Amino acid sequence: MAWNDFVARAPSGHILQSWEWGEIKARSGWRAVRLALQDDDGIRAGAQILIRTLPYGFGRLAYVPKGPVLDYSDPALLRSMLAILRSFADRERVVSLKIEPEVVEPSAVPNLLLGVGLKAALPV
């Protein structure tokens, strides 16, 4: 399966971005949507988004566990993936979209994400 092959090969890939994880989460009320940026060589970036509808019509929550999966050293690819996620969130009436890339410290990824306008989640 192309999706799982991409996730397994990507340095930022994680089992929580596997197709099967989305299917498991679907059994507990989440809907899995997979978005990918592709070129002639295959998938270059992807995000499995888990979505849950809030009660009383307040919209939806969206969560990208251990993703999106991409080469974070490519700023144009990062910006493209984030633009697709934002567009998707708007279409789906998402009130909160949380991404949680796989980061092994020390890493430049947190600063890259802050540099493109994202906000860090505050520790609870």
Side-chain angles (χ1 to χ4, degrees), residues 3-5 11-12 16 18 20 29 41 50 55 58 64 68 81 86-89 91 95 98 100 112 114 117 121 123:
W3 181 267
N4 281 349
D5 290 344
S12 65
L16 296 185
S18 71
E20 291 79 6
D41 295 325
L50 302 176
F58 288 121
V64 183
M81 188 77 242
R86 285 180 177 132
S87 176
F88 174 81
R91 279 193 320 275
V95 295
K98 179 179 180 179
E100 183 185 58
L112 287 171
L114 292 172

Side-chain angles (χ1 to χ4, degrees), residues 5 30 32 35 38 40 51 56 60 67 72 75 79 81 90 92 96-97 99 107 117 122-123:
D5 290 344
W30 293 89
L35 302 177
Q38 294 182 259
D40 293 338
I51 303 163
Y56 309 112
R60 295 177 179 87
Y72 284 89
R79 282 191 299 275
M81 188 77 242
D90 288 345
E92 290 287 320
S96 176
L97 170 64
I99 66 170
S107 173
L122 299 175

Side-chain angles (χ1 to χ4, degrees), residues 57-77:
F58 288 121
R60 295 177 179 87
L61 295 177
Y63 174 48
V64 183
K66 300 301 180 182
V69 178
L70 56 95
D71 178 356
Y72 284 89
S73 69
D74 183 339
L77 187 60

Side-chain angles (χ1 to χ4, degrees), residues 98-119:
K98 179 179 180 179
I99 66 170
E100 183 185 58
E102 176 67 355
V103 175
V104 177
E105 294 294 343
S107 173
V109 172
N111 286 333
L112 287 171
L113 296 174
L114 292 172
V116 294
L118 297 182
K119 296 178 182 163

Side-chain angles (χ1 to χ4, degrees), residues 7-52:
V7 171
R9 282 191 331 270
S12 65
H14 193 280
I15 194 166
L16 296 185
Q17 281 290 302
S18 71
W19 193 275
E20 291 79 6
W21 183 251
E23 298 303 303
I24 289 169
K25 293 302 286 180
R27 294 180 188 150
S28 61
W30 293 89
R31 177 171 57 104
V33 175
R34 295 152 193 102
L35 302 177
L37 288 171
Q38 294 182 259
D39 62 16
D40 293 338
D41 295 325
I43 300 173
R44 296 206 45 231
Q48 175 166 252
I49 308 160
L50 302 176
I51 303 163
R52 177 168 267 178

